Amino acid sequence: MIGNKISLWVFFALCLGFWPGWIEATDSEVLNPRVPSDQIEEAKTWVNPFPSTQENIEKGKVLFHGKAFCVTCHGRDGRGYIDVPGLVGKLPRNFTDKAWQAVRKDGELLWILKNGSEGTAMASFIPLVLTEEEAWHVILYVRSFGK
Ligand code: HEC
């Protein structure tokens, strides 16, 4: 009986110990730059010309869920789906990851939307799917997941 109680407490303690790490764990590999080293300094200088107003974020949201279909891989909640059928290699980025949000400049995100991330399912969207202006709006929406 006492043994059972103790093992129950040990069980809860283990849960408490592991749970935060489980939920909040950042896979530090996602922090590595995606823009090639010979282009990253330039990309970091690209600044979003649109202010992060509710109206502009809303425009980005419509594109994210609509014609740009970002939602199919990154999810309605921006966390990135783990089990996109047929998706091989790297997982779609979890935009709620604050460490990732902090380490990326807006210009790097625009570079990815222009060029994709080589060797992953993240394709290029500018100019075929999005104009550069639209992409900046989507980036405002992507940023809103980090808040
Ligand atoms: C077919 C699935 C898929 C779609 C659709 C998709 N993505 Fe991605 N995305 C990915 C994957 C996979 C990665 C991870 C790539 C990597 O780790 O380099 C990624 C990574 C990213 C990143 C992070 C790059 C970095 O610097 O870490 C951004 C930003 C991004 N996607 C934005 C978008 C936006 C905006 C859209 C819609 C216009 C979109 N994605 C559509 C699969 C997708």
Side-chain angles (χ1 to χ4, degrees):
M1 202 52 190
I2 292 192
N4 273 347
K5 270 191 188 155
I6 289 174
S7 47
L8 208 64
W9 280 114
V10 168
F11 175 73
F12 279 130
L14 285 175
C15 289
L16 281 176
F18 283 119
W19 180 70
W22 223 29
I23 301 289
E24 299 300 337
T26 296
D27 171 5
S28 60
E29 194 281 325
V30 305
L31 302 180
N32 296 340
R34 293 308 196 243
V35 180
S37 54
D38 60 329
Q39 295 173 60
I40 195 163
E41 289 314 319
E42 199 208 326
K44 281 182 177 176
T45 67
W46 301 340
V47 175
N48 197 331
F50 299 97
S52 182
T53 60
Q54 205 48 53
E55 195 190 342
N56 284 337
I57 293 172
E58 194 59 39
K59 277 187 195 164
K61 181 178 180 178
V62 169
L63 295 161
F64 186 95
H65 291 265
K67 75 167 182 180
F69 59 91
C70 320
V71 67
T72 52
C73 294
H74 292 281
R76 305 190 69 79
D77 57 3
R79 286 181 176 273
Y81 280 135
I82 311 244
D83 55 355
V84 178
L87 189 69
V88 285
K90 301 221 165 74
L91 296 177
R93 187 69 66 254
N94 172 3
F95 298 140
T96 69
D97 179 342
K98 288 196 164 47
W100 174 81
Q101 287 276 359
V103 88
R104 286 290 190 272
K105 293 269 187 260
D106 284 346
E108 294 177 82
L109 306 188
L110 191 81
W111 191 97
I112 289 290
L113 287 172
K114 281 173 182 264
N115 300 281
S117 182
E118 210 190 328
T120 78
M122 182 62 203
S124 132
F125 284 82
I126 305 168
L128 285 181
V129 181
L130 294 170
T131 66
E132 202 166 304
E133 293 206 341
E134 287 174 326
W136 281 124
H137 286 86
V138 175
I139 288 170
L140 292 178
Y141 182 59
V142 165
R143 289 303 195 188
S144 74
F145 286 114
K147 290 180 185 142

